DNA sequence: TCTCATGATTATAA
DNA sequence: TTATAATCATGAGA
């Protein structure tokens, strides 16, 4: 239905002036030049103002129904239906309101006023044409959406959260048992956040759709009294959606913050220093002292050591970094330890090959690397 | 509670 | 990117 049709539909079936009269501005002016019609126009305008005010009040009452339902009466117009039928002017409106509306709709000056409003409207629509443009997607909302998706809060449930937890656990290291306990704890908390987020989102969407319907019905109802184009309704809907999307953005922001806090707490807990177990330290020391000339394990060697020790590759790198610097700083202090591991390695090597001698044992591969400790075959300095 | 050991982090240089 | 050096923070033992 185009604007003109809608406007014309609003005119049909109403008492007072004929359509021919309504279409003729002269006839309106003729009416206005008379004293009585001027009084009528004043009355009708007052009634419109009153209805507009009451509509807003009614809208508020619907959103925050503090008043007793006893104040509300049924519709006097069977065609408007109740709330279930979607008619906002139906069941639930004050009787006083319905009477005034009925009086207004039957007023003999209404078609004339409608015609004037149509003229004004046409000019207004022309002046605002082209103003409305499509808004580009908000970059902040996009960022929040991406983050929620990456963290596994929005989008498909499986994967995201546990992947993030696994990444956090891997970055921080730790024993597999501890990791799995904290991992599941993290997942449970993330699932809680996810649940709250989705339930709130649903509420917002429902509220948005209810409010949009309400406004649209209100505008449809008002279009019987004043001309309202579908474009205007669209614009109003867009405004409402924009308002609700700003609320939605706040929800998304809060959810992101909650995830960040959860994650940082999880990481902080993992960051707590824990000594490697004895076996892991032995494996690392063995490698270090048996490669004293070049204590820089390759990536493959690091991976192998990490697997043997049950730690991450980056922890192996940290350990070697610390070990090198501390050994270099205080060789004397590490001498005893170095001798111990040198003997151990020598014995191991001897077991593997009976032909192996102390001379070519990996315990003494030094040639220009870190200073090696002096030892005798029996392990004494 | 103090001290030392040790894993992690950060800044810097190569 | 990786190694080094300095430093921090925490665990463990006396």
């Amino acid at each position: 239905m185009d604007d003109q049709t809608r406007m014309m539909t609003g005119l049909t079936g109403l008492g007072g002036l004929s359509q021919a009269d309504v279409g003729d501005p002269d006839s309106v002016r003729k009416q206005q030049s008379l004293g009585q019609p001027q009084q009528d126009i004043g009355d009708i305008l007052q009634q419109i103002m009153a209805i507009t005010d009451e509509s807003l009040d009614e809208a508020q009452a619907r959103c925050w129904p503090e008043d007793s339902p006893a104040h509300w009466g049924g519709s006097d117009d069977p065609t408007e239906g109740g709330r279930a039928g979607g008619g906002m002017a139906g069941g639930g409106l004050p009787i006083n309101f319905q009477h005034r509306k009925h009086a207004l709709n039957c007023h003999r000056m209404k078609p004339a006023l409608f015609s004037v409003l149509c003229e004004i409207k046409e000019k207004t629509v022309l002046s605002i044409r082209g103003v409305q443009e499509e808004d580009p997607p908000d970059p902040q909302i996009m960022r929040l959406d991406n983050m929620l998706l990456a963290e596994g809060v929005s989008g498909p449930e499986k994967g995201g959260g546990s992947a993030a937890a696994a990444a956090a656990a891997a970055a921080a290291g730790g024993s597999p048992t501890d990791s799995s306990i904290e991992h599941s704890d993290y997942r449970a908390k993330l699932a809680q956040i996810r649940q709250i987020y989705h339930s709130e989102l649903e509420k917002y969407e429902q509220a948005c759709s209810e409010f949009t319907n309400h406004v649209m019905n209100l505008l449809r109802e008002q279009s019987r009294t004043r001309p309202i184009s579908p474009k205007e309704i669209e614009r109003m809907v867009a405004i409402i959606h924009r308002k609700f999307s700003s609320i939605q953005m706040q929800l998304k922001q809060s959810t992101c913050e909650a995830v960040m806090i959860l994650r940082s707490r999880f990481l902080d807990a993992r960051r707590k220093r824990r000594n490697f177990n004895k076996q892991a330290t032995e494996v690392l020391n063995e490698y270090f002292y048996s490669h004293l000339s070049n204590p820089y394990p390759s990536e493959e060697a690091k991976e192998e050591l990490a697997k043997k020790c049950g730690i991450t590759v980056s922890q192996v790198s940290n350990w070697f970094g610390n070990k090198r610097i501390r050994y270099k700083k205080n060789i004397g202090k590490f001498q005893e330890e170095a001798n111990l591991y040198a003997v151990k390695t020598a014995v191991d090597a001897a077991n593997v090959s009976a032909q192996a001698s102390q001379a070519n044992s990996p315990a003494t591969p030094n040639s220009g690397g870190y200073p090696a400790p002096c030892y005798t075959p029996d392990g004494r300095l």
Side-chain angles (χ1 to χ4, degrees):
Chain A
M1 189 188 287
D2 61 18
D3 295 4
Q4 194 59 33
T5 317
R6 172 182 284 277
M7 290 168 189
M8 293 312 287
T9 310
L11 297 173
T12 52
L14 295 169
L17 299 178
S18 68
Q19 277 195 18
D21 287 336
V22 166
D24 177 13
D26 284 340
S27 87
V28 177
R29 275 193 291 276
K30 248 185 281 169
Q31 296 271 345
Q32 285 173 339
S33 67
L34 304 168
Q36 180 60 32
Q38 267 183 350
Q39 178 66 35
D40 285 342
I41 294 284
D43 288 349
I44 204 167
L45 282 172
Q46 268 191 340
Q47 284 184 42
I48 289 169
M49 294 306 287
I51 280 181
T52 309
D53 290 344
E54 286 187 38
S55 298
L56 288 171
D57 290 342
E58 205 277 324
Q60 282 186 338
R62 268 185 185 285
C63 293
W64 300 280
E66 289 166 6
D67 293 338
S68 158
H71 295 301
W72 308 100
S75 168
D76 62 348
D77 184 351
T79 62
E80 286 171 352
R83 193 178 188 172
M88 295 302 294
L93 290 181
I95 294 166
N96 185 22
F97 174 85
Q98 294 292 347
H99 282 165
R100 229 184 283 178
K101 194 178 73 177
H102 185 69
L104 177 66
N105 282 337
C106 297
H107 200 285
R108 65 194 185 85
M109 288 302 290
K110 186 192 162 180
L113 179 66
F114 198 93
S115 169
V116 172
L117 288 173
C118 281
E119 275 183 41
I120 297 167
K121 185 80 189 187
E122 216 165 315
K123 287 173 193 165
T124 317
V125 167
L126 279 171
S127 66
I128 64 164
R129 200 164 284 163
V131 168
Q132 190 188 356
E133 280 173 14
E134 279 284 311
D135 282 338
D138 189 336
Q140 195 174 353
I141 285 206
M142 279 173 73
R143 266 202 302 277
L144 291 171
D145 279 339
N146 286 340
M147 190 185 153
L148 290 172
L149 203 64
E151 292 295 335
V153 176
S154 60
E157 188 161 7
K158 58 181 179 183
S162 48
S175 71
T177 317
D178 292 342
S179 169
S180 60
I181 289 167
E182 289 175 24
H183 189 158
S184 63
D185 193 36
Y186 178 90
R187 270 191 305 184
K189 290 207 162 69
L190 194 72
Q192 229 174 331
I193 292 174
R194 185 187 161 90
Q195 196 185 352
I196 293 168
Y197 169 75
H198 283 288
S199 112
E200 289 298 311
L201 200 64
E202 207 174 311
K203 276 187 213 164
Y204 280 131
E205 276 165 5
Q206 199 180 344
C208 179
S209 125
E210 271 179 21
F211 192 72
T212 308
N213 279 341
H214 170 79
V215 170
M216 280 173 75
N217 285 324
L218 206 61
L219 289 172
R220 272 193 211 112
E221 175 65 25
Q222 285 190 4
S223 72
R224 295 174 64 179
T225 318
R226 65 186 179 96
I228 299 174
S229 69
K231 272 224 157 73
E232 266 181 284
I233 296 179
E234 269 175 39
R235 241 179 72 224
M236 191 57 80
V237 168
I239 289 168
I240 294 166
H241 283 178
R242 223 172 295 151
K243 292 278 176 203
F244 270 89
S245 92
S246 77
I247 297 170
Q248 218 179 55
M249 191 164 81
Q250 280 175 24
L251 170 70
K252 286 178 179 176
Q253 209 155 6
S254 308
T255 310
C256 281
E257 279 167 18
V259 172
M260 284 295 103
I261 290 167
L262 173 68
R263 208 166 169 181
S264 72
R265 275 188 196 157
F266 179 76
L267 281 171
D268 282 348
R270 301 294 312 164
R271 259 183 209 141
K272 277 186 180 176
R273 196 180 66 76
R274 276 166 209 194
N275 290 348
F276 298 157
N277 62 40
K278 208 179 166 187
Q279 194 209 339
T281 313
E282 269 184 28
V283 170
L284 294 166
N285 273 318
E286 264 179 49
Y287 188 97
F288 181 80
Y289 288 112
S290 64
H291 295 78
L292 212 48
S293 61
N294 184 35
Y296 298 90
S298 63
E299 274 307 302
E300 289 78 28
K302 278 183 194 171
E303 276 170 28
E304 184 73 26
L305 286 166
K307 208 185 284 180
K308 269 189 192 170
C309 301
I311 57 178
T312 65
V313 172
S314 67
Q315 281 178 304
V316 172
S317 299
N318 283 341
W319 190 91
F320 273 89
N322 285 324
K323 192 72 183 180
R324 279 192 297 264
I325 192 91
R326 283 164 188 162
Y327 180 83
K328 206 167 100 177
K329 266 187 178 174
N330 197 348
I331 294 171
K333 195 180 117 190
F334 287 95
Q335 199 102 54
E336 198 178 338
E337 188 181 64
N339 287 329
L340 206 73
Y341 280 100
V343 171
K344 194 175 182 310
T345 313
V347 170
D348 287 349
N351 286 342
V352 171
S353 167
Q355 290 175 348
S357 67
Q358 293 292 334
N360 61 8
S361 158
T364 54
N366 300 304
S367 55
Y370 285 80
C374 304
Y375 64 94
T376 59
D378 62 356
R380 284 184 287 112
L381 285 171

